[in-house]
Amino acid sequence: MTPGASMAVHRVRLWWWRRGGRDRAIVALGFTALLLALFVTLASWLRVSALAAATQPPAASTDPALVHLTLVRNAKKKGAVCLDGSPPGYHLQRGFGSGKDSWLILLEGGGWCSTVASCTSRKMTALGSSRYMERQIPFVGILSNIPSQNPDFLNWNKVRVRYCDGASYSGNVKSDIHNGTKLFFRGQRIWEAIMDELLMKGLANAKQAFLTGCSAGGLATLIHCEDFRALLPEEVTVKCLADAGFFLDEMDISRRRFIRSFYDDVVRLQDVGKKFQDCLSRMEPSQCFFAREIIKNINTPLFILNPAYDVWQIQHILAPESSDNQQSWLRCKLNIHNCDSNQIESLQGFRTALLNGLSDFQHNKNGGIFINSCFVHCQTMNGITWRSPNSPKINNKTIAEAVGDWYFNRREVKEIDCAYPCNPTCINLNLMHPFKM
């Protein structure tokens, strides 16, 4: 079995373990985002590997590079630890040639935990402990070093930061005992410790730097974009990209604000509010945790990438399980092609809310936007949606091409797709059969 196939099998086993048991239902919201990324990444790897086997001579390979895990040194001394107290980690692939002084850092996502019970459950997974993190992971999508898949960033120093704090790398609670349970809420210290280590490993000498993240990591990118800019001299080109991190503060199908209530629990449990001092003078801490508010204080050039019909948001913001007792939305939430006319109308309203949330940002001369009409989540982290013959396109541009054009100032990028189902290039997930695309 090839290393890539072995990694795929390992991830399937991890997915299967996480599926089982109603006793894990309390943490389902936190895991769904990571599983969605897993489904797309694994499907991408399988398709690329099959194509390579069929079309390439034996000596050639399009398998993604497997990159080793590095644990943060002196993490416990710095108080920069995962939920269970283990050291956080990251995967670093060194740049070469013209990219040796350029850095791309990706913040991994995976939802949030809002209670002591749900955070305790995460301690037994890679989302709360480095003891369960894979020691090697494939670098694909925006992290790929395959020229055809990632021509603009293939030879940069690339880092994938593992997510193990449950609050978008932003919590900071001194105490480690909560309701008699030992838990460490140290996301802010994890961010600082990893950045300090990367600065020592060459980030301090960067001429170009790019902070990215997916899902909860996309939200973290927004939270830390200005912090990242402040790490480097003014003459360094620094930009940020939030992939599927623009979560909406919208009412669900039962006219309740489930996600705001959930965020309120996250913010209070992990004392995240101190990150938003300016916002706190105007509104509740939970409202300050939404992207629409955070981007008001970002001056660094920023790119917003989001599907108009984000799978995670439809499942947990628009139609959460608690508001769908009859499960009338279940089939729709698993496959957009199963949605009836009333559900499609609700989805179009959700798309409108996203565009309204971005209305001011559309006039930001340094900002980039790519909002496609796909039913997916996290599009930079796999080869198919990032850049491939089958990638979703707007105005005949893939996501990779749009992001590259924006980062290198080749053109202005403000791409907003027409409404579903107008775009035939879309990758629409079918979670009834998650490994088929």
Side-chain angles (χ1 to χ4, degrees):
M1 183 179 290
T2 66
S6 177
M7 184 64 66
V9 170
H10 173 81
R11 290 189 167 202
V12 171
R13 287 173 178 163
L14 184 61
W15 167 76
W16 182 259
W17 181 87
R18 287 175 180 164
R19 285 184 68 215
R22 291 189 59 83
D23 59 320
R24 300 188 189 111
I26 193 170
V27 292
L29 186 147
F31 288 145
T32 305
L34 188 65
L35 297 182
L36 289 170
L38 163 61
F39 292 152
V40 182
T41 300
L42 180 56
S44 172
W45 181 87
L46 292 171
R47 185 176 291 189
V48 169
S49 296
L51 180 63
T55 62
Q56 297 292 330
S61 175
T62 57
D63 282 352
L66 292 175
V67 182
H68 290 276
L69 176 68
T70 299
L71 297 180
V72 173
R73 291 174 295 178
N74 300 318
K76 292 186 179 180
K77 184 177 179 180
K78 300 173 182 177
V81 292
C82 299
L83 289 169
D84 72 332
S86 60
Y90 59 90
H91 303 256
L92 166 62
Q93 185 180 55
R94 289 290 185 177
F96 59 92
S98 61
K100 64 182 179 62
D101 294 322
S102 299
W103 285 74
L104 188 153
I105 298 170
L106 184 147
L107 303 178
E108 186 179 81
W112 309 268
C113 57
S114 61
T115 65
V116 169
S118 61
C119 292
T120 300
S121 295
R122 288 170 77 105
K123 286 169 58 175
M124 300 300 293
T125 75
L127 290 175
S129 172
S130 59
R131 296 184 178 93
Y132 298 94
M133 292 176 184
E134 304 95 323
R135 264 38 196 175
Q136 290 182 313
I137 61 170
F139 268 24
V140 296
I142 197 171
L143 297 176
S144 175
N145 64 350
I146 299 172
S148 62
Q149 294 179 17
N150 196 26
D152 281 322
F153 307 107
L154 70 98
N155 63 347
W156 284 33
N157 296 279
K158 294 189 288 289
V159 182
R160 178 165 171 170
V161 180
R162 302 305 296 268
Y163 180 43
C164 67
D165 69 279
S168 288
Y169 308 85
S170 59
N172 193 7
V173 179
K174 290 182 179 179
S175 173
D176 57 11
I177 302 296
H178 306 273
N179 294 342
T181 300
K182 194 163 190 176
L183 281 168
F184 296 86
F185 298 136
R186 305 287 176 79
Q188 176 66 29
R189 296 195 213 183
I190 290 173
W191 159 264
E192 293 170 358
I194 290 180
M195 290 304 112
D196 286 347
E197 197 157 300
L198 294 178
L199 286 168
M200 290 189 295
K201 291 188 174 185
L203 176 60
N205 301 318
K207 293 183 172 60
Q208 300 178 107
F210 199 7
L211 180 67
T212 78
C214 150
S215 191
L219 181 61
T221 298
L222 300 176
I223 292 170
H224 289 294
C225 184
E226 290 298 284
D227 300 335
F228 188 64
R229 166 69 275 185
L231 293 175
L232 298 167
E234 187 176 343
E235 64 270 17
V236 178
T237 299
V238 177
K239 299 187 179 185
C240 303
L241 161 64
D243 176 8
F246 205 94
F247 297 94
L248 299 179
D249 183 14
E250 288 295 303
M251 287 189 290
D252 62 29
I253 55 175
S254 66
R255 310 301 294 171
R256 292 182 293 180
R257 292 189 182 273
F258 169 81
I259 191 63
R260 186 188 293 184
S261 175
F262 177 80
Y263 272 0
D264 185 66
D265 291 338
V266 174
V267 168
R268 294 181 187 281
L269 180 67
Q270 298 219 32
D271 198 14
V272 174
K274 65 182 67 172
K275 291 290 296 179
F276 312 113
Q277 292 301 322
D278 176 69
C279 177
L280 288 174
S281 65
R282 295 179 283 108
M283 56 187 63
E284 291 297 313
S286 59
Q287 293 173 270
C288 299
F289 203 50
F290 286 95
R292 186 171 186 169
E293 295 303 319
I294 297 171
I295 64 174
K296 292 177 180 178
N297 293 309
I298 296 178
N299 297 311
T300 301
L302 172 67
F303 194 103
I304 300 291
L305 166 64
N306 246 77
Y309 311 94
D310 185 290
V311 175
W312 192 94
Q313 296 202 52
I314 290 169
Q315 291 186 343
H316 299 293
I317 297 180
L318 179 61
E321 186 176 353
S322 61
S323 297
D324 185 29
N325 294 330
Q326 303 302 314
Q327 296 192 327
S328 59
W329 273 78
L330 180 59
R331 284 172 51 79
C332 175
K333 291 192 296 185
L334 295 176
N335 185 336
I336 196 170
H337 299 307
N338 294 333
C339 299
D340 62 32
S341 59
N342 290 331
Q343 290 167 336
I344 290 294
E345 184 178 351
S346 294
L347 295 181
Q348 303 300 19
F350 202 72
R351 171 182 179 269
T352 299
L354 172 63
L355 299 184
N356 288 341
L358 290 168
S359 58
D360 291 338
F361 186 74
Q362 290 183 46
H363 303 292
N364 184 325
K365 62 183 179 63
N366 294 319
I369 299 175
F370 195 100
I371 307 296
N372 57 21
S373 293
C374 306
F375 184 69
V376 71
H377 183 72
C378 288
Q379 298 178 90
T380 59
M381 294 179 62
N382 69 87
I384 296 177
T385 50
W386 173 244
R387 182 186 172 100
S388 78
N390 298 317
S391 290
K393 298 179 179 67
I394 304 178
N395 293 325
N396 206 35
K397 288 283 188 177
T398 65
I399 294 167
E401 290 168 329
V403 171
D405 286 348
W406 170 79
Y407 188 92
F408 296 104
N409 299 318
R410 295 192 287 251
R411 68 179 179 97
E412 183 181 48
V413 179
K414 297 286 198 311
E415 303 288 7
I416 297 179
D417 211 350
C418 47
Y420 174 87
C422 71
N423 191 338
T425 70
C426 265
I427 299 292
N428 292 319
L429 289 181
N430 178 1
L431 298 180
M432 290 181 167
H433 305 286
F435 296 110
K436 294 181 180 179
M437 295 185 67

